[in-house]
Amino acid sequence: MQKWIMSGLFFAACVVAIVLMVTLPGKEDVAQEEKPSMPEVKLDAAAAEATVKAQGCLSCHGDQLQGSVGPNLQKIGSQLSAEEIYTIITKGKGGMPSFKDKLKSEEIANVAQWLAAKK
Ligand code: HEC
C-alpha cells in the first residue's frame, strides 16, 4: 500500500515538472513577441545622429551606415517602418544588441524615425 502511494507521488511530481518545463519557456516567448509601442516624438535629426554616434551603432553599421557587421541602413526606410525599426533597436535581433537599457524610449523613437526617413 505504501509503495503504491510513493509511486503515485513520484508520478505526480513528474507531471508537475513536465508541465512547468512546457509552460514556462512558452510564456517567455509570448512576452518576447509583444511589440513595444513607440512613443510619439518630433523628429530631431541632429539628436538622432548624435545618438547613433554615441551608442556605437556606426561601429557595426558603418560610419556612413553603409554596413559592416550589421546590415546597410542607408535605405532602411524603404524596407522597414519607424515602428519596426523601433522594435529592433529596443529589443535587439540576432547580432543586433538591445538598447532598451541604454536609451530612453523617446531617444529610440527619434532614431527610428530618422532611419525610417532614409529611402
Ligand atoms: C554589435 C553590433 C551592432 C550594434 C552596436 C548595432 N547594431 Fe544594428 N544590427 C546589427 C546586426 C548584426 C543586425 C542584423 C540583425 C538580424 O537581422 O539578425 C542589425 C540590424 C539592425 C537594424 C535592422 C536592419 C534590417 O535590415 O533588418 C536596424 C534598423 C539597426 N540594426 C539599427 C541600429 C541602431 C540604430 C543602432 C544603435 C542604437 C545599432 N543598430 C547598433 C548589429 C549592430
Side-chain angles (χ1 to χ4, degrees):
M1 183 61 183
Q2 213 167 3
K3 240 188 196 169
W4 185 85
I5 292 173
M6 286 304 279
S7 61
L9 279 177
F10 180 70
F11 179 73
C14 285
V15 169
V16 169
I18 290 168
V19 167
L20 282 178
M21 276 196 296
V22 172
T23 56
L24 284 184
K27 271 182 197 141
E28 227 168 71
D29 281 348
V30 172
Q32 287 268 306
E33 272 162 32
E34 262 174 40
K35 270 202 179 160
S37 59
M38 187 173 86
E40 281 203 27
V41 295
K42 203 167 164 291
L43 175 61
D44 180 343
E49 267 182 75
T51 306
V52 161
K53 280 197 188 116
Q55 294 299 322
C57 312
L58 304 183
S59 64
C60 286
H61 290 283
D63 57 356
Q64 304 299 319
L65 300 177
Q66 77 278 20
S68 66
V69 183
N72 182 322
L73 300 177
Q74 283 166 338
K75 291 195 166 23
I76 191 68
S78 54
Q79 293 165 39
L80 297 174
S81 69
E83 283 80 10
E84 287 166 328
I85 296 172
Y86 177 83
T87 303
I88 292 172
I89 301 173
T90 303
K91 295 169 52 175
K93 181 187 171 202
M96 164 81 191
S98 154
F99 283 87
K100 72 171 186 300
D101 299 329
K102 298 188 188 114
L103 292 170
K104 291 202 212 86
S105 50
E106 286 79 13
E107 290 173 309
I108 298 177
N110 189 39
V111 170
Q113 288 192 17
W114 178 70
L115 286 172
K118 297 194 175 296
K119 295 183 189 182

